[in-house]
Amino acid sequence: MLRRIRSISAKARRVTRQPSRALKYALYRAQLRLPLDEHLAVYSAYWNAAYSCNPAAIYEKARELAPHIRGVWVVKADRVANIPAGVDYVIEESPAYFRAMARAKYFISNANFPEYIVKRPGSVVVLTHHGTPLKLMGMDGLTFAGRDGTGSAELRRLVARWDYSIAANPFSTEAWRTAFPGGYESLEYGYPRNDVLVSATPEHGVRVRAELGIEPGKRVILYAPTHRGSTPGARSSYLDAAALAESLGPDTVILARSHYFYEDRPSAAAGAARVVDVTTHPRVEDLYLAADVLITDYSSTMFDFAVLDRPIAVYAADWSYYRRSRGAYFDIAEAHPGVIATTQDELVALFASGAVDGPDARQRRAAFRERFCALEDGRASERVVRRVLLGEQVDHRPTTASRVPQQATRADRPAATAQQPALS
């Protein structure tokens, strides 16, 4: 162990430029000499910015099925308000943080923990990811279109620490294999964060609408585009949500949600009539359940929302450029989950004609769900907890395909019912 502690000295030097950090890191090194805490799990989401996504779903199920394992969340100092009451947490790079990171048996996150954190023998790292990928990820993206692979060595070191990688579907399993090559075990279980989309009652969506101040009987559209970065013309590739709401009439409300990279910036349509800025809403799954329709571009929201079997429109104003510059695992223009438009006028026409939920859109949505949502039966969190925290053998796939939860947000949409299958 002493040799292992010395081996991290170079990493330590990179994170101890300030005296206070040096003292904290010395505490971390000292804690590394102590045994692992077999009953401690550390959770993180979106680089310590939120309590959400797959880690939150796993944490909540672990409290039920594995209460002997204490879960602690890592959070940035300015994001403590995101942690619900009753949830234990440590502030990033505080002394308590370094103690937890040195001693924890389990590490569960939808993004990598810092490279200076040591992967101790016997510890277990679970990378949950945070979406089914359309654009190229990891090594695939670093070497796409003549890129030189800068960052590949660091990525390989991080992936080498993974024990488990969660996949929402077989497609993701294959994508992670080339994007993040490593010796981890793939848990092809469905996405824990999507469990609520299957198990929610009709009242769930009604409650969320009421919390957002939406009157009963309105058609609710969630607009959730992806991150564009420095892509030329990025601003023009987004919808004008205010103009769209005006075009679709007074019975329509648009929930505008910017990508989490921009959560500190209000939506451009904030304050517009019939547009609600939900960028900082803590649970996107609640927004899915409140919405009748999703409009997105290349975001992984489409794969999650498809679990609900509700209409999806893809606004692909810059798809040709985006695909050439970022790369993609498949052509969304050919395999989209409903309808696709390249201009805002086209999108409005698709709504006006009813094509958004017409026969062709439903057929495409069914094919999309079969490909990407077949594992979503509401039990993914349980499978992860039983396999990782309780050490049980769990079948690779759930026993049945996904079911569609009831919806009570629109009176003209029939409800479906199904019994929850037993876990194998």
Side-chain angles (χ1 to χ4, degrees), residues 118-131:
V118 174
K119 172 67 163 71
R120 296 182 62 179
S123 64
V124 177
V125 175
V126 182
L127 205 293
T128 73
H129 306 279
H130 48 271

Side-chain angles (χ1 to χ4, degrees), residues 134-184:
L134 173 58
K135 68 175 177 289
L136 298 185
M137 304 293 290
M139 296 293 294
D140 295 336
L142 292 174
T143 56
F144 176 72
R147 295 188 177 95
D148 63 6
T150 298
S152 298
E154 179 183 1
L155 179 60
R156 288 184 182 277
R157 288 193 297 269
L158 293 171
V159 173
R161 305 191 303 193
W162 301 359
D163 294 285
Y164 300 102
S165 167
I166 295 177
N169 40 57
F171 167 83
S172 293
T173 299
E174 294 303 313
W176 302 150
R177 186 168 290 133
T178 56
F180 307 111
Y184 53 81

Side-chain angles (χ1 to χ4, degrees), residues 64 114 121 347 352 367:
E64 173 190 340
L347 185 64

Side-chain angles (χ1 to χ4, degrees), residues 23-342:
L23 289 173
K24 294 172 186 175
Y25 206 82
L27 169 65
Y28 178 60
R29 293 199 306 272
Q31 291 287 314
L32 287 172
R33 299 173 182 269
L34 301 177
L36 286 177
D37 185 339
E38 298 287 333
H39 301 112
L40 177 61
V42 170
Y43 294 83
S44 171
Y46 299 112
W47 299 275
N48 308 332
Y51 173 91
S52 64
C53 193
N54 294 311
I58 295 168
Y59 169 82
E60 289 163 11
K61 184 58 65 173
R63 294 181 79 172
E64 173 190 340
L65 299 179
H68 61 287
I69 295 179
R70 177 186 172 222
V72 174
W73 277 79
V74 179
V75 62
K76 295 179 183 294
D78 62 349
R79 301 302 177 92
V80 170
N82 293 342
I83 303 297
V87 174
D88 288 343
Y89 67 88
V90 293
I91 295 175
E92 181 182 76
E93 296 203 356
S94 67
Y97 160 85
F98 281 111
R99 283 193 294 268
M101 299 301 279
R103 300 289 306 282
K105 165 84 170 183
Y106 303 99
F107 294 82
I108 301 171
S109 180
N110 67 1
N112 280 299
F113 288 98
E115 190 180 6
Y116 64 77
I117 296 300
V118 174
K119 172 67 163 71
R120 296 182 62 179
S123 64
V124 177
V125 175
V126 182
L127 205 293
T128 73
H129 306 279
H130 48 271
T132 293
L134 173 58
K135 68 175 177 289
L136 298 185
M137 304 293 290
M139 296 293 294
D140 295 336
L142 292 174
T143 56
F144 176 72
R147 295 188 177 95
D148 63 6
T150 298
S152 298
E154 179 183 1
L155 179 60
R156 288 184 182 277
R157 288 193 297 269
L158 293 171
V159 173
R161 305 191 303 193
W162 301 359
D163 294 285
Y164 300 102
S165 167
I166 295 177
N169 40 57
F171 167 83
S172 293
T173 299
E174 294 303 313
W176 302 150
R177 186 168 290 133
T178 56
F180 307 111
Y184 53 81
E185 178 182 343
S186 180
L187 302 183
E188 197 174 284
Y189 288 168
Y191 258 178
R193 72 183 185 191
N194 289 340
D195 288 348
V196 67
L197 303 183
V198 178
S199 61
T201 64
E203 291 74 26
H204 193 133
V206 173
R207 173 179 55 78
V208 176
R209 285 178 172 223
E211 291 170 352
L212 294 172
I214 299 171
E215 298 176 4
K218 297 292 186 181
R219 174 175 61 180
V220 177
I221 297 173
L222 174 61
Y223 174 48
T226 192
H227 169 56
R228 283 304 198 292
S230 57
T231 302
R235 184 175 297 276
S236 63
S237 66
Y238 293 123
L239 280 173
D240 183 334
L244 180 64
E246 186 66 27
S247 297
L248 296 180
D251 290 335
T252 296
V253 174
I254 294 178
L255 307 179
R257 185 175 180 85
S258 299
H259 189 274
Y260 58 82
F261 281 1
Y262 310 124
E263 63 183 2
D264 292 330
R265 312 176 205 172
S267 166
R274 299 190 306 281
V275 176
V276 181
D277 183 8
V278 292
T279 297
T280 60
H281 194 283
R283 299 194 75 130
V284 70
E285 295 82 15
D286 283 349
L287 303 179
Y288 294 153
L289 289 163
D292 296 301
V293 184
L294 171 70
I295 300 176
T296 188
D297 42 21
Y298 323 122
S299 168
S300 64
T301 56
M302 73 177 78
F303 301 96
D304 300 331
F305 192 81
V307 174
L308 295 171
D309 198 19
R310 300 176 190 175
I312 300 173
V314 175
Y315 182 62
D318 62 343
W319 173 240
S320 294
Y321 177 81
Y322 188 91
R323 189 182 185 192
R324 291 196 310 272
S325 62
R326 301 292 299 273
Y329 289 107
F330 66 92
D331 187 353
I332 194 63
E334 298 296 327
H336 60 80
V339 295
I340 189 167
T342 57

